[in-house]
Amino acid sequence: MTTAAHRPATLEDVARLAGVSRSTASRVIAGTGFASPYARERVTTAVERLGYVPNPAARALVRGVGVRLVVAVAGASAAVLDCPYVHQVVGSAARVCTPAGVGVALHWLPLGQPGELDQLARDRSVCGVVLVNTTNELLDAIPRSLQGRVVSIGVGSSAVPSFDVDNAAGAGEVLRHLYATGRRRIAMVTGPQWLPCSRRPVDAYRGLMRQAGLPERILPGDFSAARGRSAAGEALRRWPDVDAIYAISDETAFGVIAALRDEGVRVPGDVAVAGFDDIPLAAMTAPALTTASHPVGRIATAAAIAVLDGRPAAPVTLFPSALVARASA
Amino acid sequence: MTTAAHRPATLEDVARLAGVSRSTASRVIAGTGFASPYARERVTTAVERLGYVPNPAARALVRGVGVRLVVAVAGASAAVLDCPYVHQVVGSAARVCTPAGVGVALHWLPLGQPGELDQLARDRSVCGVVLVNTTNELLDAIPRSLQGRVVSIGVGSSAVPSFDVDNAAGAGEVLRHLYATGRRRIAMVTGPQWLPCSRRPVDAYRGLMRQAGLPERILPGDFSAARGRSAAGEALRRWPDVDAIYAISDETAFGVIAALRDEGVRVPGDVAVAGFDDIPLAAMTAPALTTASHPVGRIATAAAIAVLDGRPAAPVTLFPSALVARASA
DNA sequence: GTGAAAGCGCTAACAA
DNA sequence: TTGTTAGCGCTTTCAC
């Protein structure tokens, strides 16, 4: 490895130094095709001496594949691109894409304008798409040419494999924990109405309440702490006997707890509160938050690998979510 | 805009449909060079009809520029790539790189092995580098060929512009707040020793303590909540009269508060606690955390734009950090 | 087993 | 103002 030359070496340079043709050099470097041990040895040496690094862009161009994996996030405004959840997806994706010479892009998909996807499909630099916060409308609008290289973190379809947390199971565990610890007047703060994957915990809630003969008390939310705050106030007003609030996310749960505290309601004494996601801080607060785990990094990694690999993935890959019982419920 | 064709249109297709040469089409599309209003009109129409999207990879290849911006994070292990801070940098960078057809890559730079940078310098697909958690050793090892397209979030050098939070000022504000509210036995939990940019708050602390004739009480940390926990225990043991703990990060501060609570020490009654970063949850906890703001997203955005633009940036761009006084101090 | 040649999609001289 | 020409760096038939 020499010190960085002013002009980075090309395959041509390697071939010349090794005394072989570009084709031969290409074969041994890409690890494709035949090459005599002798040629192999000479090329390898030349690569080392020159500090040669292949140019993924040139490679992609000739192979007809893309150099960017796009994380496409559906939402009402471009502000969805700023949330920590999306950032973690992008970070995890970048980590697995980097060794493949692929970069990560971040797109906003306006709700109700599935045409945006066509744009992505026609961009030859796009090797694949990871959908986040998918809607069925979006799923139905996936251009044929994107099929086989698009996956969803959230709901999927016959054409789009899904990688998601088993939030129905996680919600079930948390709700049963609430029930087992004596809670009978359980309210739930949900996710956005338009987001299909956030309906599963709601369905779990409904099923369990019905099964236990308990009243359904649903407050629409949006994952935010602010909404948790206001929803808690509503809950107290509408159902003075409420003894537990289950929130769709830890953020929301913290908002709920803050509002309860302001109202002089004790947690978990008067009202138990549980969340979902098990973010790092859930263990640090007072009271520590009872929640369910959500392996976002692992999910995003699997999703990115699936589009990178390009082989057909299972229609649905569910990642387990387990109860993390702490002090708040 | 037609429905996505099976084979995405190329410049050639556009030129043919418009009845002009590839060059002319290229000129009007890239917005470079001359073109008659007539040609311009015909090309634009063809682009629309075909739903043509230029291929950034091909463009980059011929222009000799890269298609990836790499976020390079120094650290003891690859685990540094998993922290929310890094994710936010990557997310913000991806957002500004996407419209430029540039993807984001995420690299780990092992401490003490500055050779890794040469690799990046020789990769022609790399258009620039954003350094995170830089050391002076790393800064000195920047290959010449990378100069002008590398910036640092953290300390910089004559060759590497720095984009960072003014954490000295932020720390100063917080510490003066502590002092103004009567605290006189103030301990500090620092960042990692090897990280130069985290030394500035320590220097601010030292300067202020000295100036006020107060004792210096320093506990080395690593930004983590776990270390905040253990450091708080140490502080209590070594300095039973401690009445304030200033932590280098909100994470650490939450760890400190948790440990204090476990020990039966009241916050802020017995010991005031302050952090740094003003993460969203800082406002939601009990007690709400007193801290200083840290506009990570804005910093990362500015850094990425600077390498994308490629024009010389100011040697140092400091982003303001202001006291956010809440309940914990 | 190896090399010559063609070409991926695009831009940028240079002539016309 | 426009088109012709020559590549950017790489892979990949297809002869040899």
Side-chain angles (χ1 to χ4, degrees):
Chain A
M1 180 168 87
T2 55
T3 156
H6 187 63
R7 189 186 62 80
T10 70
L11 185 61
E12 179 79 53
D13 300 326
V14 173
R16 193 168 334 120
L17 180 58
V20 301
S21 73
R22 249 179 22 234
S23 331
T24 302
S26 173
R27 280 185 216 110
V28 0
I29 290 169
T32 161
F34 304 94
S36 63
Y38 175 74
R40 201 173 296 279
E41 144 83 25
R42 297 221 36 145
V43 170
T44 318
T45 308
V47 166
E48 300 239 315
R49 292 178 60 89
L50 260 24
Y52 171 71
V53 179
N55 182 343
R59 198 172 263 190
L61 186 60
V62 59
R63 285 199 187 140
V65 301
V67 293
R68 299 192 299 166
L69 178 151
V70 358
V71 174
V73 188
S77 84
V80 289
L81 302 184
D82 283 324
C83 82
Y85 172 65
V86 168
H87 287 159
Q88 185 172 0
V89 172
V90 173
S92 302
R95 196 165 168 186
V96 303
C97 288
T98 297
V102 169
V104 174
L106 182 53
H107 262 274
W108 167 48
L109 257 24
L111 291 178
Q113 283 175 235
E116 290 285 314
L117 281 166
D118 290 339
Q119 201 80 353
L120 295 180
R122 284 189 294 245
D123 184 336
R124 297 174 104 106
S125 78
V126 171
C127 68
V129 177
V130 172
L131 257 17
V132 176
N133 287 358
T134 328
T135 65
N136 289 309
E137 179 190 37
L138 230 32
L139 252 17
D140 290 341
I142 301 286
R144 179 117 14 121
S145 60
L146 229 36
Q147 289 188 15
R149 50 200 185 103
V150 48
V151 306
S152 166
I153 296 183
V155 294
S157 71
S158 60
V160 182
S162 153
F163 292 79
D164 206 356
V165 64
D166 190 354
N167 48 7
E173 283 202 32
V174 171
L175 289 162
R176 277 190 296 273
H177 171 77
L178 255 20
Y179 188 88
T181 51
R183 309 294 169 166
R184 292 296 180 272
R185 305 297 162 188
I186 307 172
M188 170 164 191
V189 186
T190 73
Q193 308 279 357
W194 58 267
L195 187 62
C197 61
S198 79
R199 253 176 243 150
R200 291 187 303 229
V202 181
D203 293 342
Y205 167 83
R206 284 211 160 107
L208 256 19
M209 292 305 102
R210 193 164 314 149
Q211 190 180 316
L214 265 25
E216 283 177 32
R217 297 172 165 184
I218 291 187
L219 267 358
D222 58 6
F223 292 124
S224 77
R227 177 57 189 143
R229 266 204 133 101
S230 62
E234 269 184 56
L236 254 23
R237 207 162 351 96
R238 291 173 57 181
W239 309 298
D241 65 340
V242 65
D243 62 4
I245 300 181
Y246 175 47
I248 189 77
S249 75
D250 286 355
E251 281 267 336
T252 301
F254 284 126
V256 167
I257 292 178
L260 260 23
R261 190 191 311 122
D262 291 349
E263 297 285 335
V265 176
R266 286 168 311 160
V267 176
D270 301 321
V271 175
V273 177
F276 189 90
D277 283 343
D278 193 23
I279 63 177
L281 253 38
M284 312 298 309
T285 53
L289 189 67
T290 289
T291 184
S293 54
H294 184 178
V296 180
R298 283 175 47 216
I299 295 172
T301 300
I305 288 176
V307 346
L308 242 31
D309 280 2
R311 348 167 227 267
V316 176
T317 308
L318 247 27
F319 291 73
S321 171
L323 171 70
V324 182
R326 298 203 180 92
S328 72
Chain B
M1 181 167 86
T2 56
T3 158
H6 188 62
R7 189 186 62 79
T10 70
L11 185 61
E12 179 80 52
D13 300 326
V14 173
R16 192 168 334 120
L17 180 58
V20 300
S21 71
R22 252 183 14 238
S23 333
T24 301
S26 172
R27 278 185 218 110
V28 359
I29 291 169
T32 160
F34 305 93
S36 63
Y38 175 73
R40 201 174 296 279
E41 144 82 26
R42 297 223 35 146
V43 170
T44 317
T45 308
V47 165
E48 299 240 315
R49 291 179 60 87
L50 261 23
Y52 171 72
V53 180
N55 182 342
R59 197 172 262 189
L61 186 62
V62 60
R63 285 199 187 140
V65 301
V67 292
R68 300 192 297 166
L69 178 151
V70 358
V71 174
V73 189
S77 83
V80 289
L81 302 185
D82 283 324
C83 80
Y85 173 64
V86 168
H87 287 160
Q88 185 171 1
V89 172
V90 173
S92 302
R95 196 167 168 183
V96 303
C97 288
T98 296
V102 169
V104 174
L106 182 52
H107 262 274
W108 167 49
L109 258 22
L111 291 178
Q113 281 174 237
E116 290 285 314
L117 282 166
D118 290 339
Q119 201 81 353
L120 294 179
R122 284 189 296 246
D123 184 335
R124 296 174 105 108
S125 78
V126 171
C127 68
V129 177
V130 173
L131 258 17
V132 176
N133 288 358
T134 329
T135 65
N136 289 309
E137 179 190 37
L138 230 32
L139 252 17
D140 291 340
I142 301 286
R144 180 114 16 119
S145 60
L146 229 36
Q147 290 188 14
R149 51 199 187 105
V150 49
V151 305
S152 165
I153 296 182
V155 294
S157 71
S158 58
V160 181
S162 153
F163 292 80
D164 206 357
V165 63
D166 190 354
N167 48 7
E173 281 202 33
V174 172
L175 289 163
R176 277 190 295 274
H177 171 76
L178 256 18
Y179 188 88
T181 51
R183 310 294 169 166
R184 292 296 180 271
R185 304 297 163 188
I186 307 172
M188 169 165 192
V189 186
T190 73
Q193 308 278 357
W194 59 265
L195 187 62
C197 61
S198 79
R199 252 175 242 149
R200 291 187 303 229
V202 181
D203 292 343
Y205 167 83
R206 284 211 160 107
L208 256 18
M209 292 304 103
R210 194 163 311 148
Q211 191 180 314
L214 264 25
E216 285 177 30
R217 296 171 166 184
I218 291 187
L219 265 0
D222 58 7
F223 293 124
S224 78
R227 177 56 189 144
R229 266 205 133 100
S230 62
E234 269 183 56
L236 255 23
R237 206 162 350 97
R238 291 174 58 182
W239 309 298
D241 65 341
V242 66
D243 62 4
I245 299 181
Y246 175 47
I248 189 77
S249 75
D250 286 354
E251 281 267 335
T252 301
F254 284 125
V256 167
I257 292 178
L260 259 23
R261 189 191 314 123
D262 291 349
E263 298 284 336
V265 176
R266 286 168 310 160
V267 176
D270 301 322
V271 175
V273 177
F276 189 91
D277 283 343
D278 193 24
I279 63 176
L281 254 38
M284 313 296 311
T285 53
L289 189 67
T290 289
T291 184
S293 54
H294 184 178
V296 179
R298 283 176 47 216
I299 296 172
T301 299
I305 289 177
V307 345
L308 242 32
D309 280 2
R311 352 165 224 267
V316 176
T317 307
L318 246 28
F319 291 73
S321 170
L323 171 70
V324 182
R326 298 203 180 92
S328 71

